Amino acid sequence: MFRRNKILVKKKTYVKKFRQERYKNKVMTKINFTVNNNNHQVEVEDSLRLIDVLRDHLGLTGTKEGCGVGECGACTVIMDGAAICSCLVLAGQLNGTQIETIENIEKDQVLSKLQQLFLEHGAVQCGFCTPGMLMSTKALLDVNPHPSEDEVKEALEGNLCRCTGYIPILNAIKAAAQ
Ligand code: FES
Ligand code: FES
């Protein structure tokens, strides 16, 4: 028993030292930014991506990670009014920015009109692409409430969906744009 305790203490000390070493080598950055109209100050590794800061540091797990390399659009959020891939933005670029995530779309547990229309038109199946689709759509409708079909297609060209065949998504957005 005594021996086991000794080993445990050794192990804990080793882990603590290992963590301290890792922490020492990290470049940390302080970010002061706004997420969903709330100010946040966090200190994180500057090599972290926006999606990591949102999910792991702010608990906003509605933003999904698909490819991690800017190809699928699953991680789309709105940054300073534009739809961007949160897997491509580094923490060091976030100071002073305004971010909007999928968590800001629903209000008081009531779905937004856009979310409701996605449901009504069968534009949500597995749902993995949906937060990104909604954020790209919102970024478009915020500046252009009545887009043409071509404008919708252009705005969503970076968002992939493996389930719906896109037509239900287009129909939902057309209904929202009427
Ligand atoms: S996870 Fe960011 S674009 Fe695919
Ligand atoms: S609903 Fe499954 S990927 Fe779009």
Side-chain angles (χ1 to χ4, degrees):
M1 185 65 168
F2 178 67
R3 193 165 173 272
R4 193 168 166 263
N5 282 345
K6 247 178 123 178
I7 290 171
L8 268 178
V9 170
K10 260 189 166 179
K11 204 171 160 188
K12 275 186 187 165
T13 313
Y14 174 76
V15 171
K16 200 174 161 192
K17 252 184 121 179
F18 178 74
R19 284 198 179 134
Q20 280 169 346
E21 279 305 311
R22 281 200 59 187
Y23 191 83
K24 255 199 286 179
N25 295 330
K26 283 178 194 168
V27 180
M28 304 300 284
T29 186
K30 277 189 186 161
I31 312 168
N32 195 337
F33 68 151
T34 304
V35 180
N36 300 337
N37 304 316
N38 297 314
N39 289 328
H40 289 278
Q41 279 185 323
V42 288
E43 187 171 9
V44 297
E45 284 172 69
D46 70 351
S47 60
L48 282 191
R49 306 161 306 165
L50 171 57
I51 189 168
D52 304 316
V53 178
L54 292 173
R55 292 180 57 89
D56 302 338
H57 288 266
L58 302 184
L60 297 171
T61 54
T63 302
K64 304 300 180 204
E65 177 160 12
C67 64
V69 291
E71 295 287 339
C72 72
C75 65
T76 304
V77 300
I78 299 176
M79 179 169 157
D80 295 334
I84 53 107
C85 294
S86 60
C87 70
L88 296 182
V89 176
L90 293 176
Q93 301 171 277
L94 292 175
N95 213 22
T97 57
Q98 300 224 12
I99 307 292
E100 186 176 359
T101 70
I102 188 66
E103 283 83 358
N104 206 40
I105 301 252
E106 175 188 304
K107 291 274 181 257
D108 301 325
Q109 300 195 327
V110 177
L111 295 183
S112 67
K113 180 182 161 201
L114 188 58
Q115 287 172 306
Q116 197 58 49
L117 286 168
F118 263 57
L119 287 180
E120 284 168 19
H121 286 80
V124 181
Q125 289 187 24
C126 81
F128 198 81
C129 71
T130 309
M133 288 284 179
L134 287 166
M135 296 316 287
S136 290
T137 307
K138 184 172 187 302
L140 171 68
L141 297 180
D142 282 351
V143 293
N144 180 4
H146 308 292
S148 66
E149 186 166 327
D150 282 348
E151 287 171 327
V152 173
K153 285 181 181 168
E154 196 182 328
L156 293 187
E157 68 185 3
N159 292 79
L160 303 183
C161 175
R162 298 180 66 168
C163 309
T164 61
Y166 298 102
I167 302 298
I169 294 174
L170 269 181
N171 289 340
I173 300 170
K174 276 193 223 161
Q178 274 172 7

